[in-house]
Amino acid sequence: MWHSSPPGSIYDYIRVASFSIGPDGLVDQWSLRAEELFGLRAADAVGRDPVEAFMPAELRAGGHRKIAEILDGKEWTGLVPFRIPGGDGEHGVAEIYVMPTETEDGDRAALCVVVDLQALRRIESDLAASQAIFGQSPFGFLLFGTDLTVQRANRRFATVFGGAVEDHRGRTVHDYLSRREADRMTAALERVLETGEAVTDLRIVGAAPGSREQRHWSINLYRVHGASGRPIGVAGLGTDVTRRHLAAREAAGVRRNLALLNEAGSRIGNSLDLETTARELLDVTVPGFCDLAAVDLYQGLLQGDDDGPGRVHAPGPGHGNGPGTQRPYSAATGTAGGRLPSAPLRRVAFASAVSDAPLTGTAASVGEGAEPAGPVAVGEIHRYPAASPGALALRTARPRLILGSGPDDLVQSTLVVPMVAHDTVVGLAQFSRTKGSEPFGERDRAVAVELAARAAVSIDNARLYRREHERALILQRSLLPPGDPEAAGLDIACRYLPGNTATEVGGDWFDVIELPGHRTALVVGDVMGRGLRAAVAMGELRTAVRTLALLDLEPAEVLSALDEVARGLGAPGGAQASRSRDADLSEVYLATCVYAVYDPVTRRCTIANAGHMPPVLVESGEAGALLLEVPPGMPLGVGGEPFEEVEVELPEGALLALYTDGLVESRDHTLDEGLRGLREALTDPSRPLEDVCDHVLNSLETRHGEDDIALLMARVQGLPGDAVGDWSLPREAVSVGRAREFARAQLVAWGLEGLADTTELLVSELVTNALRYGEGEIRLRLLLDRTLVCEVWDGALAQPRRRRARDTDEGGRGLQLVGLLSTSWGSRRTPRGKTVWFDLALPGAEVAAAGELSAEQLLELYG
């Protein structure tokens, strides 16, 4: 079929021209292409000798010979140099094909076809380069026609997709790729063919024939044009970037894991709580690392069992499951393997990024030969079957990878990782990925082990902290008065708030100490500093206060002795070393303390202060609370200054408040403001004392956590006059009998006839000793409150002491009788001598009744 060839055909590209030579050897026809090639119009070329017109002068002789041979009927092909007319002497080389012809008259002539050799060489070079690129390229190369079928494929492409190069002609991308990827490729080809815009780095995923391995290709597409500039197809260059993709994915995974570990370092372990730390681990891993996760901790660990769940040691020769296998060691049994597989665990945390995920350990709770474990809820205590992956991971201290067993399983892979810290197995972590997520690899296993180890260290630290905290708490509570303190003539209420709610250990303390004669010592102190060190110092000072109180010293004397004790704390050589210039100042213990002694008979209170907050007194019917003016003195441990004491009379119903500085000091207000707030909070002393304590704490808005707070409040309830019997006796022998009469009469008035005989006997012994060994006037006093107290006063300073009488001695057994028949007895100094006293339990009290001596006790007394 004839058709018109569009401009830009191959003949235009290689510049083919033609002309003819007549029988006379002159040009008789000159084509338009010859005009373009030689730059000479037909009117100027026709009728001229081609040799003379185009060849240099030195070659013309040979040219005439060739023309003659051609006209004789000889074909000839060769290279002929020519001079380009109007080209300023430029020469070219033409390849001429000469074919003899005949005219109508039978004369010899010639037809010449001329090709520009330079254009021809350029075409050959282009073809060679194209063949080299297309045929020898290490990348897959395809040429698609305008109908998007393969027009040509190179050998590399055929090597990958099979068959010979010619076998791929006429195929489409749907013959090589999945439907989804083929549609993407077709759309890209159409877009390039339509717009002419190249597509670079189009990522296509597919598999070569006969292979299941997914390959990744980077495709570059560009439109190909003919010589006339019209589109003739699309060229595609494909590069296998599978390794690059895997390397990039590996690098991305490493970056993701590094970011995950960095996040874990900042988010895990911010709390010293076991359950909170477990939840922090899951907050980091779900969904960034896995889709489901759970943490199980040993129940014994959560309960503070000091035995611990187990320790991990490398096995000796012939042990374990292979080189480097670790086996648990149980502190409880002392055997390798220990109790770990069967020890109960508690599910403390669970997290899921899948809405319908079950609360279960999934495959991790199921092992070969074991029944599937049911769902494990958070807080539930459970055990792993002996053959389950969980038990094996705990037993070997190695992570385990479990793959989903069926197509219907939600979870496709699970990492079961034992949580090991400081060679101690504390629990088990499970990380699961569901269908659609990338399965766990070796890199993921290492990350899971690292995450579990970090959480395990924090959990173990929390365990150790909890243990130490409980011990410190036991110490702290043992140093404070148990229950609600009771005192004769006082209604007591107290509060203690540690400065750190996490540790509950501080240096503040208070105490209520019963003294002879129904007197009471009220003590509030504050050791500077916090933590266990301050609590230990507080315990030593509190013990010293109680010991000094038993000596019945005056408040100023108690603080002076306590100052010596404080100066000796923490110094290796005791108090003397603490005074030396080389003493370690970091071990200096300083404390403040207020010591008050209340006498319910006189309702007078003697107070001494060692750098502490002043007591507050609220009297019924008065305008407001008053700060008692007690000389503050220096803190305990400073030394060098004596302490002063003051005596104040407390009206009936008055309220006395002792407290530490944590109640009134804060970063938000000054000390004066805090003291003013305390006084304002104590405006109504008639309210129940417990309510008054709560009102004070709530009104002052104490900043809990800044400092410890101790508050001791006492409402004055003096002994009534009819509860006191007081008599003065002269230093005469008849005073012993009178003392017995006074005592019996008073007991009858109180309705305590059952104690009359014992009281008479003991009063007789004490008054006799006062007459025999004492000085000055004798005073007998009976006090009735929770117990019956008898006191005998005299002017001698010598303190009585018990001694064992010999069998031949007629006396010396009086104090032994007092000790056997009374609940307690003792003596104390007074400003004008001494007082010897004894207590008797009232009928119905829980104290063992006194007043009867067994036969063994009588034999011991009188041998």
PDB file of all heavy atoms in Angstrom, residues 333 529 603:
ATOM      1  N   THR A 333      15.559 -23.366  97.665  1.00  0.00           N
ATOM      2  CA  THR A 333      15.897 -24.782  97.671  1.00  0.00           C
ATOM      3  C   THR A 333      17.385 -25.022  97.572  1.00  0.00           C
ATOM      4  O   THR A 333      17.863 -26.091  97.908  1.00  0.00           O
ATOM      5  CB  THR A 333      15.203 -25.485  96.492  1.00  0.00           C
ATOM      6  OG1 THR A 333      15.690 -24.924  95.269  1.00  0.00           O
ATOM      7  CG2 THR A 333      13.699 -25.285  96.554  1.00  0.00           C
ATOM      8  N   GLY A 529      17.856  16.751 108.658  1.00  0.00           N
ATOM      9  CA  GLY A 529      18.119  15.791 107.597  1.00  0.00           C
ATOM     10  C   GLY A 529      16.922  14.880 107.394  1.00  0.00           C
ATOM     11  O   GLY A 529      15.914  14.959 108.110  1.00  0.00           O
ATOM     12  N   ARG A 603      -0.988  20.930 138.373  1.00  0.00           N
ATOM     13  CA  ARG A 603      -1.272  21.447 137.019  1.00  0.00           C
ATOM     14  C   ARG A 603      -0.200  22.442 136.577  1.00  0.00           C
ATOM     15  O   ARG A 603      -0.491  23.433 135.915  1.00  0.00           O
ATOM     16  CB  ARG A 603      -2.659  22.095 136.954  1.00  0.00           C
ATOM     17  CG  ARG A 603      -3.818  21.132 137.083  1.00  0.00           C
ATOM     18  CD  ARG A 603      -5.082  21.686 136.467  1.00  0.00           C
ATOM     19  NE  ARG A 603      -5.433  22.974 137.009  1.00  0.00           N
ATOM     20  CZ  ARG A 603      -6.198  23.169 138.094  1.00  0.00           C
ATOM     21  NH1 ARG A 603      -6.658  22.123 138.753  1.00  0.00           N
ATOM     22  NH2 ARG A 603      -6.490  24.376 138.520  1.00  0.00           N
TER      23      ARG A 603
END
